Amino acid sequence: MDWDDFARWGARLSDWGADYHKTLRDRPVRAQTAPGEIAAQLPDTPPDGAEDMEAIFADFERIVMPGITHWQHPRFFAYFPANAAPPSMLAEMLVSMIAPQCMLWQTSPAATEVETKMLDWLRQAIGLPAGFAGVIQDSASSATLAAMLVMRERALDWQGNVAGLSGGPRLRVYCSDQVHSSIDRAAWVSGIGQENLVKLPTSGPQRGVDPEALRTAIAADRTAGFKPAGLIAVTGATGMGACDDLSALTAIAKAEGLYTHVDAAWAGAAMICPEYRALWQGVEQADSVVFNPHKWLGAQFDCSAHFLRDPDALRQTLAIRPEYLKTHGQADVTDYSEWSIPLGRRFRALKIWFLIRAYGLDGLRSRIRNHVTWAEGLCETLRADPRFEIVTDPILSLFTFRLAGGSDDDQIALVTRINDDGRVYLTQTKIDGHSAIRFQAGQFDCTEDDVKAVLTVLDEMTR
Ligand SMILES: *Cc1c(COP(=O)(O)O)cnc(C)c1O
């Protein structure tokens, strides 16, 4: 392919992308594909000869597209959103064409300096105080792992990387029973271990950890000779949106010398609206906070904003400078690869710049406010309908409900029927050991009518 062909294909793919999005409502949200169906259409061996782009693209449309679940569909109400706003897509097109590696300041000064500015824009947008420095990680999972490694190194007087963990004290990290599986995996990968991730029970409408339970667990661990190292608190957990009382928990963590990380991967985006910030009151006391602009905000995957009160602790944990990475005469620059686990880094800040400028914070706020309002409206309609019962009230735009009087199997059967129908996409969760159906609104192009389509589908599917 020469560059003239590239230009022709680039223009054609942009047209294809616009048509795809304009006609997205006509497609089933969740792929209606059986396991193995796509693989069966691909040859078992790679071609030895070159193939024509026309043939490659035709196969993409014929084989791949039917097996896609449409995350940008306006009636995607499953999991959490993974929004890709058009200006963010354009920025990613530019980045994919320039394809820079942004590991050191020197390897693309613009990428580093735009990243520093954009993370400060985001910091202000979500109301974190000055003094937090930000970095873009590929995912919240990586940010949480990085934070857990800091907890480990800090608790081991920065000797874990040097000496390894064997023979060291047994470190303990505390969190709620609502946390995302990425917290468990961070405990595995960091060498802290599942058994030393202490999951505390939650209660109340927000399903937060009881601060007394945290205090008691820390005291018991100290008595047992263990070493409390950190706390992972959550704002907007995946199941039903659980929020810990950050003021109370961070106060205890601070008094006990623990490093605190806040996982607000989904809910953090909503904090651009000041009226929701009560959900994470006390966040300014944390050492580390992560939220995903790649979820609700509209900067497409991958883009996870990680804020640190003391980036030196992270650098002390992760920085490594072999000879080939040394740069000379640039003592005062930021090398973001020292803040993250992978060395290579994409230029992710450009899409934040395009996104925020193209909509303004007000444009982004109004989307999030609409989603919350429409989710609350749907919840009230279901509450008034005797066929359904609300299991957990909305936290932001997320609530859970059940078919009244139905068994767990009935709830799963209903979700399956809805998703096989394809007009909307919902998923299930477990609340207090029982299956519940989960609804969240957050897709960028979602309208109130799209949310109301859930009622139409529920009505037909329960008849
Ligand atoms: C989505 C989510 C994660 C994981 O985010 P990734 O960026 O996919 O790693 C972690 N925690 C919560 C609360 C989430 O909603």
Side-chain angles (χ1 to χ4, degrees):
M1 176 176 285
D2 65 23
W3 291 109
D4 292 330
D5 289 334
F6 176 86
R8 269 191 300 280
W9 276 101
R12 188 164 152 192
L13 295 192
S14 300
D15 287 345
W16 182 92
D19 284 342
Y20 167 73
H21 283 275
K22 285 194 276 188
T23 58
L24 206 38
R25 276 194 183 78
D26 303 333
R27 300 182 190 238
V29 191
R30 197 211 56 199
Q32 307 287 311
T33 313
E37 212 176 303
I38 307 296
Q41 299 177 72
L42 298 172
D44 290 328
T45 54
D48 284 318
E51 293 190 55
D52 189 50
M53 193 60 207
E54 203 67 60
I56 299 171
F57 187 64
D59 283 349
F60 161 78
E61 288 203 282
R62 183 176 61 85
I63 300 173
V64 175
M65 284 312 290
I68 293 291
T69 290
H70 302 288
W71 283 72
Q72 307 312 319
H73 197 300
R75 292 195 299 268
F76 182 101
F77 303 118
Y79 308 101
F80 280 138
N83 284 323
S88 148
M89 285 187 192
L90 293 175
E92 282 287 89
M93 286 162 73
L94 292 174
V95 168
S96 91
M97 288 188 282
I98 307 165
Q101 265 298 346
C102 308
M103 49 202 182
L104 309 173
W105 177 87
Q106 180 180 275
T107 63
S108 271
T112 296
E113 296 188 15
V114 175
E115 183 163 340
T116 305
K117 281 279 182 188
M118 286 310 105
L119 271 284
D120 202 59
W121 282 17
L122 287 176
R123 176 193 65 74
Q124 297 171 52
I126 61 173
L128 279 184
F132 277 92
V135 57
I136 304 178
Q137 308 281 9
D138 55 7
S139 62
S141 305
S142 291
T144 297
L145 173 57
M148 209 172 301
L149 291 170
V150 175
M151 290 174 192
R152 184 191 83 186
E153 287 306 294
R154 218 175 135 263
L156 296 176
D157 288 329
W158 314 99
Q159 289 306 301
N161 283 337
V162 179
L165 303 186
S166 76
R170 193 156 159 181
L171 304 182
R172 304 287 267 183
V173 172
Y174 307 87
C175 66
S176 93
D177 59 14
Q178 295 287 316
V179 293
H180 188 264
S181 56
S182 58
I183 315 307
D184 299 74
R185 283 214 285 208
W188 302 355
V189 176
S190 64
I192 285 173
Q194 186 80 62
E195 288 179 1
N196 295 312
L197 182 65
V198 183
K199 291 197 181 170
L200 300 166
T202 51
S203 59
Q206 313 256 322
R207 308 264 165 154
V209 165
D210 173 8
E212 258 339 288
L214 173 64
R215 221 190 296 270
T216 309
I218 294 172
D221 282 347
R222 290 206 197 279
T223 306
F226 302 157
K227 184 147 200 194
L231 165 74
I232 296 188
V234 65
T235 301
T238 317
M240 44 70 68
C243 292
D244 285 324
D245 176 348
L246 299 187
S247 294
L249 297 191
T250 54
I252 296 169
K254 209 158 244 171
E256 298 280 353
L258 270 53
Y259 188 88
T260 308
H261 173 67
V262 175
D263 177 7
W266 161 65
M271 303 309 165
I272 64 172
C273 308
E275 68 270 30
Y276 303 134
R277 290 183 192 156
L279 286 174
W280 75 354
Q281 201 182 353
V283 67
E284 66 284 352
Q285 299 301 321
D287 296 299
S288 165
V289 180
V290 67
F291 97 91
N292 281 344
H294 70 227
K295 279 185 169 157
W296 208 349
L297 204 63
Q300 76 205 75
F301 194 82
D302 50 357
C303 187
S304 191
H306 187 190
F307 296 97
L308 299 138
R309 171 188 301 286
D310 172 21
D312 282 343
L314 181 61
R315 272 205 300 269
Q316 199 170 344
T317 301
L318 295 177
I320 184 163
R321 268 303 167 87
E323 193 55 35
Y324 53 81
L325 289 179
K326 287 193 180 138
T327 52
H328 298 282
Q330 293 158 356
D332 293 334
V333 298
T334 300
D335 292 328
Y336 277 122
S337 59
E338 298 188 335
W339 302 42
S340 54
I341 294 161
L343 172 66
R345 306 180 78 251
R346 303 185 333 99
F347 183 7
R348 300 190 186 90
L350 194 68
K351 58 192 165 193
I352 299 178
W353 196 42
F354 277 36
L355 177 80
I356 294 180
R357 294 183 64 190
Y359 294 95
L361 288 177
D362 279 340
L364 300 172
R365 286 182 188 118
S366 69
R367 277 180 169 73
I368 286 174
R369 286 178 177 137
N370 281 339
H371 297 150
V372 172
T373 304
W374 298 336
E376 288 169 351
L378 178 64
C379 177
E380 290 320 308
T381 308
L382 294 183
R383 202 194 301 277
D385 187 328
R387 288 173 299 175
F388 303 104
E389 56 195 31
I390 301 304
V391 181
T392 59
D393 283 329
I395 292 182
L396 298 169
S397 63
L398 168 63
F399 69 91
T400 62
F401 65 99
R402 283 169 65 85
L403 209 47
S407 68
D408 282 1
D409 286 348
D410 292 338
Q411 317 301 330
I412 305 295
L414 176 57
V415 170
T416 306
R417 265 203 310 283
I418 289 169
N419 295 334
D420 287 348
D421 170 80
R423 278 172 289 173
V424 304
Y425 186 16
L426 302 175
T427 43
Q428 71 287 329
T429 187
K430 282 230 154 122
I431 309 281
D432 298 327
H434 287 292
S435 294
I437 304 173
R438 202 175 159 282
F439 173 91
Q440 68 76 29
Q443 204 285 324
F444 216 74
D445 295 328
C446 171
T447 64
E448 188 165 17
D449 282 345
D450 289 315
V451 172
K452 286 186 175 155
V454 173
L455 289 174
T456 312
V457 173
L458 276 175
D459 191 52
E460 288 176 30
M461 297 294 139
T462 50
R463 212 172 274 160

